[in-house]
Amino acid sequence: MQLRTLIPIALTILLTSTGTAQAAANPYERGPAPTVASIEAARGPFATAETTVPATVGGFGGGTIYYPTSTEQGTFGAVAISPGFISTQANISWLGPRLASQGFVVITIDTITIWDQPDQRATQLLAALDYLTQQSTVRSRIDATRLGVMGHSMGGGGSLRAATQRPALQAAIPLTPWHTTKSWPAVTVPTMVIGAENDSIAPVAQHSEPFYTSMPSTLDKAYLELNNASHLAPNSANVTIAKYSISWLKRFIDNDTRYEQFLCPPPKPSTLIEEYRDTCPHS
């Protein structure tokens, strides 16, 4: 075969294989390849800034938005986080910059009243996501198709309800959640329930465990029980909560399979983890 015939064929193969590789790459990956050290660190690879949301916006009690300052890698997924009963965003504020520095836009909210019940908190979490994506000053940084919810205690119960009300969400993480509803067969959003072994306010046997087991067995879900921890464990910086929350959000909001290694195979019981259940491998 003549050289002038081979060259076009070679170029075609090269261009086709390059295009296939580019198409196969995940367009939502943000940041360098993760390591145990990087997901346990107090801050991730992205510099962050924050802005205050006044209560006058309506729909929720205001809050704080934390976001990566650089947009060189494109838009980011977003997460709304609710505090628990008689608490304010200050109780879960540590999660804001920690998650944002890993490549998310995060809003920690105050509820309309500190007495709001879980289903009211669900409505407010969704209102906060709508504000983020439609009205906030950082809306251009957000991919509105890649959203998640988190919450502590009644806020955790609210995150479960929000997942049933908006199945288009990509991830939910209830933290030592509390809710009078114990069965959640309608949840289709990938959900990681984080309970605490010594929780006397929302004992895992009456809350976190039935929440997890009642969700469909076909769902991408996980149950992490913190060893020797109390109901208030999520109210201060916690490496275990951060490590697995980051991995879950990255895996399902960003579809970043580089983080699958921290979730599957599942972590074994240790001085930090009392129990871990999962539906590995994830779809």
Side-chain angles (χ1 to χ4, degrees):
M1 188 177 293
Q2 295 182 352
L3 183 60
R4 64 174 178 270
T5 303
L6 288 171
I7 291 174
I9 293 174
L11 285 172
T12 299
I13 293 172
L14 177 62
L15 291 172
T16 301
S17 62
T18 302
T20 301
Q22 289 176 341
N26 176 14
Y28 306 131
E29 286 184 2
R30 300 291 181 264
T35 64
V36 171
S38 74
I39 60 173
E40 290 184 347
R43 292 293 180 270
F46 292 91
T48 64
E50 62 185 78
T51 184
T52 300
V53 180
T56 54
V57 297
F60 59 103
T64 305
I65 300 171
Y66 304 86
Y67 60 94
T69 56
S70 172
T71 57
E72 290 181 357
Q73 296 187 36
T75 55
F76 299 95
V79 184
I81 310 176
S82 168
F85 189 61
I86 64 171
S87 297
T88 68
Q89 63 168 317
N91 295 93
I92 39 90
S93 62
W94 70 274
L95 283 162
R98 193 145 185 169
L99 297 180
S101 69
Q102 295 285 348
F104 296 100
V105 176
V106 181
I107 182 167
T108 57
I109 69 169
D110 281 318
T111 48
I112 294 174
T113 79
I114 59 174
W115 313 102
D116 290 342
Q117 297 297 296
D119 289 358
Q120 294 171 300
R121 292 166 192 266
T123 300
Q124 293 173 52
L125 281 168
L126 297 178
L129 288 176
D130 291 341
Y131 172 80
L132 266 185
T133 58
Q134 299 169 22
Q135 301 178 51
S136 75
T137 57
V138 299
R139 61 188 180 277
S140 63
R141 298 173 183 265
I142 301 170
D143 179 348
T145 68
R146 297 189 292 119
L147 306 175
V149 288
M150 297 177 68
H152 172 236
S153 192
M154 283 194 181
S159 70
L160 282 169
R161 182 65 73 196
T164 66
Q165 293 175 340
R166 190 170 295 183
L169 292 173
Q170 301 297 299
I173 305 179
L175 304 169
T176 59
W178 187 100
H179 204 294
T180 54
T181 297
K182 307 304 180 185
S183 184
W184 298 90
V187 173
T188 58
V189 175
T191 300
M192 171 178 277
V193 180
I194 299 181
E197 180 186 14
N198 296 336
D199 191 336
S200 59
I201 296 173
V204 293
Q206 285 80 49
H207 295 269
S208 293
E209 289 181 330
F211 296 167
Y212 171 81
T213 57
S214 66
M215 291 186 285
S217 60
T218 54
L219 179 67
D220 287 319
K221 63 178 182 175
Y223 172 68
L224 167 62
E225 186 175 315
L226 301 170
N227 185 45
N228 197 31
S230 76
H231 183 71
L232 301 181
N235 284 350
S236 58
N238 184 295
V239 172
T240 306
I241 291 174
K243 174 180 181 178
Y244 292 101
S245 294
I246 290 164
S247 298
W248 196 260
L249 297 174
K250 284 286 192 177
R251 176 63 182 82
F252 293 103
I253 291 182
D254 288 355
N255 195 31
D256 194 337
T257 55
R258 297 179 300 173
Y259 288 80
E260 183 79 355
Q261 63 182 300
F262 308 115
L263 303 169
C264 297
K268 297 179 179 179
S270 66
T271 56
L272 299 174
I273 297 174
E274 170 64 20
E275 182 184 2
Y276 193 96
R277 308 181 204 177
D278 65 275
T279 54
C280 291
H282 298 125
S283 59

